[in-house]
Amino acid sequence: MTATYHTSVLAAMMQATQHGSNDVAIRYLSVDSRRMAFPAETLFVAIDTAQRSGHSFIPDAYLQGVRVFLCHHLPEKTMEDAVYLQVPDTLKALQQLAAAHRRQFHCPVIGITGSNGKTIVKEWLYEVLHHDVQIARSPKSYNSQIGVPLSVWLMQAGTQLAIIEAGISQRGEMQALQSIIQPSVGIFTMLGDAHAEGFASVQEKLQEKWRLFQNCTAIICNTDDAAVAALAKKFKGQLLNWGYHDGVWLQLLEIKKEPSFATVDFQYEAAYHLLRFPFADDASIMNAMHVVCYMLYARYSWEIIQQRIAQLRPLDMRMQWKKGIRHCNLLNDSYSNDFTSLVQAIELLFQPSRNEQRSIVLSDLSVGNDNLANYQQLLQLLQTKAIHRLITVGPVWQQALQQSGTPSFTVHTFMQTSELLAALPQLHFEREDILIKGGRQFALEKVAQQLEAQQHQTVLEIHLPAVQHNLQFYKKHVQPGVKIMAMVKASGYGSGDAEIARALQFSRVDYLAVAYPDEGVALRQAGIHLPIMVLNTDPASFDVMEQYNLEPEVYSFELLQALQAWCEQRGIQSWPVHIKVDTGMHRLGFAVEDVPMLLQLLQQQQVLQVRSVFTHLVASEDVAADAFTQEQIRLFSNACSLLSAGLGYSFIQHCANTAAILRHPTAHFDMVRLGVGLYGGTPGLQPVMKLYTTVAQVKKVAAGETVGYGRKAVLQRPSVIATVRIGYADGYPRQLGNGVGSMWLHGQTAPVVGNVCMDMTMLDVTDLPPVQPGDLVEVFGDHISIQDVAGWCHTITYEIMTGISQRVKRVYVEAE
Ligand SMILES: *Cc1c(COP(=O)(O)O)cnc(C)c1O
């Protein structure tokens, strides 16, 4: 069971000043008021970061039932039945609390660090060890200054092993993590060649990471890397190193790679051994080596090691919202089903609504969690949530449900996944958010496949954490009081429906802007309540704009008069409008010369209220146009002065788009309009959109033959041609045919051969390792940037992003 601490004990553990005398038993911690499963037993930790003020969420957390708060200052209005634990630094106090909690355990604790592979090594260790010991592990990739304390908190009375990741981005951070985790065994995954942002050198970064191991009794690492070897040599404890060179603890002799597996020869304690790994890529092999080392260290036999390693699969750790059939949304994690990860997934399901109805499909919990108390606790949790129905698979759930009272929602129970699959048509899912979560042996991914909307295997991944990252990047470049308007026109530059707006609303941007009223309506229907400016309106849409509280851009006298007349007729007062001044774009807007006349008309009416005045820069990215840009800014500033003097009230002034935020600080005024930068469409930002497709067929074609329509590609050599499932109807431009474009698969680029077809494209994969139908292909993403693709077509990233057609399935990645 989870450990319980009373308020007075918590106060003592953190040397906090306690305000309020209510005695509450706390089992859970939360730093995010959206993610609380058991608010009444949760300590809400208010942490202010550059992104958001945790303190401002205290009232919200209270409304949800939280009664104990860790804070730096008291909220304006304190509640009588609440307890506030006040400390000088809430993050430090949280870390101190976790460290004190950790000190109560004497079981082994594995601390994992390194540049890549931390999460996968942790999950794989869990996978191979959880049959034998009760394990506490970091959820997802909670490895930061905040994530680590929350992870360590999951150690509980029955815990026999903890596996905790530690990630750092700056000097000095590892000391804090080390003192929280206090690992007994260290794993260093790999150094990686990523440049050492936040560090003077890669060497310094390595030394900082290595601090995690200062009190370990054993370290697992690959000493083929000379820098790692140098540090490992100084280690006084048990060095469990592996590599090709002599004198290591576990020596690699040879790796033989086949298309879908690899066989690895070892020498260990003067004997030869062989293991078969169920994958052949270097990263997976390397990650699995750390797992093998730990199993050997924990005295598993080679036979058991082979059995369990054979079960490993590359994991898709990310929680993703996918479009389902009949307007459903799916959140699918059919890889693991333990108590902690399930509670987290349920919290994710209950973030601001997509659909009103929510259904949950659950298998029995993974081994080691089959105590009925866990099931009862889950049922209690579900009772407090607005669940529409619960669908369970497995005998333990059936038993648990028989013993509990009648729940407030519909329940369907199945003994096996095959029975559920057969019953799917009768369950008729429609307009529901569906969480699917199951242990691997239940293969609930088959259920997910049935419920997914489009089976066409090309997906556009939208990485929501990257949106947050890019937003923060630009926020740092404007003065604190300057507002941010996020441009989400054209479905968020092609990214899809309301998910981006939802993420932006959570990060508290000030305004949204869309191109047409329909786009604004769709956002309102998805529960977006931020103010929304509509760039392009016409009288036919006034009705719907008023109904959905959308704010029009006013760009001409005709529009102004029509809007005014419409409002007067209906007795509408103070409708907020946004005045567009044309300072050089010559698209929409009042000419600078017309501003005095505009002022007169605005002064003569009461129905419209100028919320903002703005202009659009035409070439803010271009050094050669800087004089022109300065002139635009000057004209705009004059127009604003005139209007504000004449109107006698203030309004928001804005003119900077993405490029101007960085290049023209004098253009920031009161608000900036962030567009393409948000989506990672400019260099140096995190890519938000990643487009993937799959191979449909592979064939050998003789020299002299041609490929595709019009016989454009004549093969100069015997070739291997892979046909992939994307074409110009998906938004893959036809200009990319005949070697102009390339895609990425099996770690290499493969050029397009022949013309791009409507639904398919052919790649020359002759020089690649064997390609097979079903293989994943990156069209753009981590290896081929959207800038590359735009460059090949001689266009801008905007056009590529917004051109991805609606038939391409959008997948929203919530967490990396
Ligand atoms: C699209 C748009 C922007 C955003 O431009 P980016 O270059 O993508 O930052 C700003 N203002 C207006 C009026 C726009 O139409």
Side-chain angles (χ1 to χ4, degrees):
M1 271 329 269
T2 41
T4 307
Y5 293 96
H6 286 265
T7 19
S8 52
V9 177
L10 288 172
M13 286 166 95
M14 297 182 281
Q15 285 114 38
T17 311
Q18 179 171 345
H19 305 266
S21 57
N22 200 353
D23 180 30
V24 184
I26 292 297
R27 293 174 180 214
Y28 302 95
L29 301 179
S30 172
V31 295
D32 185 339
S33 61
R34 296 172 308 166
R35 309 211 170 164
M36 294 184 302
F38 305 99
E41 299 169 280
T42 297
L43 169 68
F44 180 78
V45 183
I47 297 180
D48 293 342
T49 63
Q51 291 90 320
R52 44 199 287 266
S53 153
H55 285 80
S56 66
F57 289 91
I58 289 179
D60 179 41
Y62 179 88
L63 284 179
Q64 293 186 55
V66 175
R67 288 299 173 267
V68 190
F69 301 89
L70 179 61
C71 54
H72 163 262
H73 52 268
L74 296 181
E76 253 166 49
K77 185 158 173 275
T78 54
M79 298 295 183
E80 210 151 89
D81 60 344
V83 178
Y84 303 91
L85 302 175
Q86 192 177 11
V87 293
D89 181 333
T90 49
L91 176 59
K92 283 226 173 71
L94 170 69
Q95 296 182 338
Q96 198 179 335
L97 178 63
H101 177 70
R102 158 71 182 95
R103 280 195 291 274
Q104 302 177 25
F105 296 87
H106 302 286
C107 63
V109 174
I110 305 175
I112 307 178
T113 192
S115 304
N116 291 310
K118 295 185 286 292
T119 305
I120 197 139
V121 169
K122 176 199 71 191
E123 288 300 315
W124 280 355
L125 279 170
Y126 174 82
E127 199 60 33
V128 298
L129 303 172
H130 81 276
H131 308 271
D132 314 310
V133 282
Q134 281 271 17
I135 299 175
R137 71 193 198 280
S138 316
K140 294 188 273 185
S141 51
Y142 273 32
N143 59 30
S144 65
Q145 297 289 311
I146 297 176
V148 165
L150 298 180
S151 300
V152 165
W153 190 259
L154 298 174
M155 295 181 74
Q156 299 303 341
T159 300
Q160 295 166 301
L161 172 70
I163 313 175
I164 310 288
E165 300 180 33
I168 54 168
S169 53
Q170 277 174 33
R171 291 165 69 156
E173 287 187 340
M174 194 53 102
Q175 196 58 53
L177 300 187
Q178 191 279 334
S179 63
I180 307 166
I181 304 172
Q182 303 154 41
S184 54
V185 178
I187 296 183
F188 189 83
T189 57
M190 63 177 300
L191 186 51
D193 51 12
H195 77 292
E197 201 182 334
F199 295 91
S201 64
V202 174
Q203 187 60 29
E204 186 191 85
K205 187 168 164 183
L206 171 63
Q207 275 171 359
E208 177 72 27
K209 292 194 171 175
W210 203 262
R211 278 174 201 273
L212 178 62
F213 306 142
Q214 57 195 273
N215 294 327
C216 286
T217 53
I219 295 179
I220 295 172
C221 60
N222 171 8
T223 44
D224 284 339
D225 185 319
V228 175
L231 279 180
K233 216 159 97 191
K234 297 189 204 141
F235 180 60
K236 298 282 187 303
Q238 199 180 357
L239 185 62
L240 315 173
N241 58 338
W242 61 272
Y244 279 108
H245 62 98
D246 287 337
V248 286
W249 184 69
L250 174 65
Q251 190 173 16
L252 271 181
L253 300 175
E254 194 184 5
I255 301 180
K256 283 197 221 78
K257 293 186 184 178
E258 305 294 336
S260 59
F261 64 94
T263 50
V264 187
D265 288 310
F266 298 99
Q267 185 173 346
Y268 177 69
E269 292 182 339
Y272 294 106
H273 301 274
L274 183 143
L275 286 178
R276 182 175 153 134
F277 289 179
F279 29 68
D281 64 291
D282 290 338
S284 299
I285 292 173
M286 183 132 183
N287 291 331
M289 286 301 302
H290 296 107
V291 175
V292 172
C293 284
Y294 187 84
M295 292 186 85
L296 284 172
Y297 167 73
R299 307 234 154 260
Y300 281 86
S301 68
W302 283 91
E303 197 185 340
I304 300 276
I305 294 176
Q306 175 63 81
Q307 268 174 24
R308 300 211 178 151
I309 292 285
Q311 299 294 320
L312 296 181
R313 294 285 174 275
L315 18 154
D316 198 349
M317 295 292 305
R318 300 163 304 186
M319 293 293 274
Q320 307 179 325
W321 279 108
K322 290 189 186 171
K323 288 264 168 268
I325 52 170
R326 292 189 288 267
H327 304 284
C328 288
N329 295 303
L330 303 181
L331 190 61
N332 172 25
D333 177 5
S334 38
Y335 187 81
S336 71
N337 200 23
D338 54 283
F339 184 75
T340 312
S341 70
L342 180 53
V343 168
Q344 284 176 347
I346 292 172
E347 290 166 10
L348 210 52
L349 182 68
F350 281 93
Q351 278 178 39
S353 66
R354 289 169 178 80
N355 283 309
E356 295 269 301
Q357 310 255 31
R358 298 182 177 95
S359 297
I360 303 191
V361 181
L362 286 183
S363 76
D364 282 351
L365 296 176
S366 312
V367 213
N369 286 289
D370 44 4
N371 113 35
L372 280 179
N374 274 334
Y375 289 76
Q376 299 306 346
Q377 203 177 356
L378 281 169
L379 281 172
Q380 271 173 24
L381 165 61
L382 295 177
Q383 291 284 10
T384 67
K385 306 279 184 185
I387 300 256
H388 171 47
R389 52 184 168 172
L390 171 67
I391 295 151
T392 66
V393 180
V396 189
W397 264 120
Q398 198 154 47
Q399 198 189 340
L401 284 159
Q402 271 160 10
Q403 291 180 11
S404 67
T406 317
S408 52
F409 41 80
T410 315
V411 178
H412 306 273
T413 55
F414 298 92
M415 289 297 274
Q416 294 178 11
T417 305
S418 56
E419 294 169 15
L420 167 58
L421 280 169
L424 275 182
Q426 285 85 52
L427 291 171
H428 193 84
F429 289 94
E430 182 162 2
R431 293 189 190 277
E432 290 165 57
D433 288 355
I434 308 170
L435 169 67
I436 301 175
K437 191 120 171 67
R440 263 239 311 264
Q441 69 277 25
F442 288 94
L444 288 188
E445 63 273 10
K446 291 186 190 146
V447 177
Q449 277 158 16
Q450 293 291 318
L451 295 177
E452 263 176 43
Q454 289 138 315
Q455 298 286 342
H456 176 79
Q457 296 184 39
T458 296
V459 293
L460 182 65
E461 285 189 358
I462 314 296
H463 290 252
L464 297 176
V467 177
Q468 305 290 13
H469 173 273
N470 296 341
L471 174 65
Q472 296 318 324
F473 173 84
Y474 284 100
K475 260 195 181 162
K476 283 196 207 119
H477 285 88
V478 298
Q479 293 297 318
V482 175
K483 294 183 177 4
I484 305 243
M485 173 182 269
M487 308 305 286
V488 293
K489 60 193 183 195
S491 301
Y493 286 45
S495 64
D497 54 18
E499 299 295 326
I500 294 253
R502 213 190 304 276
L504 293 166
Q505 174 161 292
F506 176 68
S507 341
R508 310 213 157 168
V509 302
D510 302 279
Y511 250 99
L512 296 176
V514 296
Y516 292 98
D518 289 355
E519 298 177 350
V521 171
L523 294 183
R524 288 280 181 255
Q525 285 173 339
I528 304 297
H529 52 69
L530 284 177
I532 299 177
M533 174 172 98
V534 182
L535 296 169
N536 218 317
T537 41
D538 63 289
S541 58
F542 291 165
D543 247 334
V544 76
M545 300 226 328
E546 207 273 328
Q547 186 188 341
Y548 285 94
N549 191 18
L550 303 173
E551 304 173 8
E553 164 186 324
V554 175
Y555 50 80
S556 69
F557 289 113
E558 292 92 309
L559 186 62
L560 179 67
Q561 276 153 4
L563 195 59
Q564 189 184 331
W566 190 88
C567 288
E568 280 164 355
Q569 224 174 28
R570 284 166 183 73
I572 288 168
Q573 292 289 320
S574 309
W575 192 353
V577 298
H578 302 266
I579 301 291
K580 171 79 140 306
V581 181
D582 181 0
T583 56
M585 179 83 164
H586 304 320
R587 187 172 61 178
L588 295 179
F590 292 95
V592 172
E593 307 80 75
D594 289 340
V595 172
M597 163 92 160
L598 169 67
L599 175 60
Q600 249 183 18
L601 291 175
L602 287 170
Q603 283 168 328
Q604 288 161 9
Q605 58 79 46
Q606 278 87 44
V607 293
L608 304 177
Q609 170 156 36
V610 177
R611 181 57 54 83
S612 87
V613 175
F614 72 111
T615 193
H616 197 30
L617 300 173
V618 303
S620 60
E621 69 290 347
D622 184 0
V623 193
D626 280 353
F628 186 84
T629 303
Q630 288 307 323
E631 179 61 9
Q632 278 196 285
I633 297 171
R634 193 186 65 81
L635 290 172
F636 173 64
S637 178
N638 288 348
C640 287
S641 308
L642 194 68
L643 287 168
S644 86
L647 287 174
Y649 58 85
S650 65
F651 45 78
I652 305 171
Q653 307 179 7
H654 49 117
C655 95
N657 64 345
T658 297
I661 296 175
L662 300 187
R663 299 200 60 248
H664 298 283
T666 58
H668 292 182
F669 294 88
D670 306 324
M671 178 158 83
V672 294
R673 299 191 304 275
L674 181 56
V676 72
L678 206 47
Y679 307 96
T682 54
L685 293 164
Q686 289 188 0
V688 169
M689 301 183 205
K690 298 180 186 177
L691 182 60
Y692 298 96
T693 186
T694 51
V695 173
Q697 193 178 23
V698 181
K699 48 184 64 181
K700 294 201 164 82
V701 185
E705 292 280 317
T706 63
V707 176
Y709 283 119
R711 309 201 70 199
K712 285 287 177 287
V714 184
L715 298 177
Q716 303 299 316
R717 56 174 182 174
S719 303
V720 186
I721 304 298
T723 302
V724 298
R725 297 181 168 104
I726 188 168
Y728 58 78
D730 299 292
Y732 193 68
R734 197 166 171 280
Q735 295 100 293
L736 294 173
N738 299 301
V740 175
S742 297
M743 298 186 196
W744 177 272
L745 70 164
H746 288 286
Q748 295 184 35
T749 51
V752 174
V753 48
N755 283 328
V756 172
C757 312
M758 187 185 292
D759 312 302
M760 275 168 275
T761 298
M762 280 71 85
L763 303 176
D764 182 346
V765 296
T766 317
D767 299 327
L768 271 62
V771 172
Q772 287 172 331
D775 285 354
L776 188 70
V777 180
E778 175 188 311
V779 182
F780 54 74
D782 293 327
H783 306 95
I784 293 178
S785 70
I786 204 160
Q787 284 83 7
D788 293 334
V789 177
W792 294 332
C793 308
H794 304 291
T795 183
I796 51 177
T797 51
Y798 302 63
E799 187 177 348
I800 303 297
M801 291 197 250
T802 55
I804 307 304
S805 77
Q806 281 309 312
R807 89 168 174 197
V808 174
K809 183 176 358 187
R810 265 68 173 168
V811 169
Y812 298 92
V813 180
E814 295 266 0
E816 303 291 335

